[in-house]
Amino acid sequence: MPALIFDCDGVLADTERDGHRPAFNATFAEVGIPVHWSVEAYAEKLRVGGGKERMATLLTPDFAERWGLPTDTIGQRELLQDWHQRKTARYTELIRDGRIPPRPGVARVAGEALAAGWQVAVASTSAVSSVRAVLEHAVGPMAERFSIFAGDAVARKKPAPDIYRLALDRLGVEAREAVVIEDSHQGLTAARGAGLRTVVTVSGYTAEEDFTDASLVLTCLGGDDEPARVIADPLGIVPGSLIQLDDLRAVMELAPADREEPA
């Protein structure tokens, strides 16, 4: 049974700029630290995988001392856990209020895969509750049929391949039997490190990134109001304005041999 594995942020919905970023900033204001990540500054923070890990970049010795924050490892771990819980609560509320629309074609393609007997999953290192909120918003009741691999299920966040290796193991499929939809170079690196064929749908922060190793690069999966446009098609799949399940089958069949990194 083949598997279709979606990343979450940037793939199911374009959540980073107007979802995660304001949730981080509101949390910083709530806990009383003078940090506000601009659109440009947050683009740099996205180079760090994981929300707690992004927050941890603030905890330099000078910053911690100036604002009376813990300087020991255990204290900082507990602080980051508290901050991240606050941030996740704000973010999930924002998503459930419907303020960020799902990306075009996600529900349609997921429905086609499920109807064809494919396994469908999300693999993300965002918090589980955040991923579930975005997934339910993006695909509705179909979310109950998705497997979710998220949060701190693995020690190393993307671009490490660990979350995708976990997904393959739990789904019981080989890398050649699955295709991933990602939106960033970091996510592409993680998927390819697990030997997975990868389709990229670029998002607001990632359009200019390097996707040389992707099997297909698109503006989106395609919907009535926003047709898919091909950015790169190295396999010669030549999809139409609505990406179909047959296009994803072609990616699995035509992509070169796996290039999995050693575990």
Side-chain angles (χ1 to χ4, degrees), residues 5-241:
I5 307 173
F6 293 89
D7 174 43
C8 179
D9 295 306
V11 171
L12 302 181
D14 202 347
T15 54
E16 293 291 5
R17 188 188 69 180
D18 298 322
H20 286 290
R21 186 183 66 87
F24 278 119
N25 287 336
T27 300
F28 298 146
E30 180 184 354
V31 300
I33 60 170
V35 175
H36 182 92
W37 286 338
S38 66
V39 171
E40 294 77 15
Y42 191 63
E44 292 301 312
K45 291 298 178 183
L46 286 173
R47 297 178 184 273
V48 178
K52 289 191 292 293
E53 290 78 5
R54 288 173 201 152
M55 288 176 157
T57 64
L58 299 173
L59 298 180
T60 63
D62 287 347
F63 188 90
E65 182 178 354
R66 183 181 307 169
W67 297 103
L69 303 175
T71 56
D72 62 291
T73 300
I74 294 175
Q76 289 193 349
R77 185 185 304 124
E78 292 174 348
L79 178 73
L80 290 169
Q81 186 68 30
D82 174 65
W83 285 1
H84 196 249
Q85 287 176 347
R86 294 170 186 262
K87 178 262 174 182
T88 298
R90 289 180 174 275
Y91 174 76
T92 53
E93 180 181 0
L94 185 155
I95 293 297
R96 287 178 174 140
D97 284 347
R99 297 183 212 174
I100 299 177
R103 294 203 65 190
V106 168
R108 175 181 55 77
V109 171
E112 290 178 5
L114 287 167
W118 288 36
Q119 298 184 84
V120 182
V122 176
S124 169
T125 45
S126 289
V128 175
S129 57
S130 296
V131 172
R132 193 174 299 280
V134 177
L135 178 62
E136 291 173 351
H137 180 54
V139 304
M142 279 190 294
E144 296 180 0
R145 301 175 64 186
F146 276 66
S147 299
I148 296 177
F149 309 100
D152 293 325
V154 294
R156 298 189 303 167
K157 306 294 177 74
K158 298 176 184 178
D162 300 31
I163 193 69
Y164 284 118
R165 287 177 174 156
L166 176 67
L168 291 172
D169 180 65
R170 297 284 177 84
L171 294 171
V173 296
E174 301 292 333
R176 59 184 174 79
E177 300 169 317
V179 61
V180 167
I181 300 179
E182 267 285 358
D183 76 301
S184 68
H185 176 75
Q186 196 173 60
L188 171 63
T189 300
R192 292 298 292 135
L196 285 154
R197 279 74 167 170
T198 308
V199 173
V200 169
T201 54
V202 297
S203 60
Y205 271 119
T206 68
E208 302 304 317
E209 293 183 2
D210 179 10
F211 297 117
T212 303
D213 210 22
S215 297
L216 182 63
V217 185
L218 307 159
T219 54
C220 65
L221 294 176
D224 292 340
D225 297 328
E226 188 176 344
R229 181 171 59 82
V230 175
I231 298 172
D233 182 14
L235 303 179
I237 292 170
V238 194
S241 60

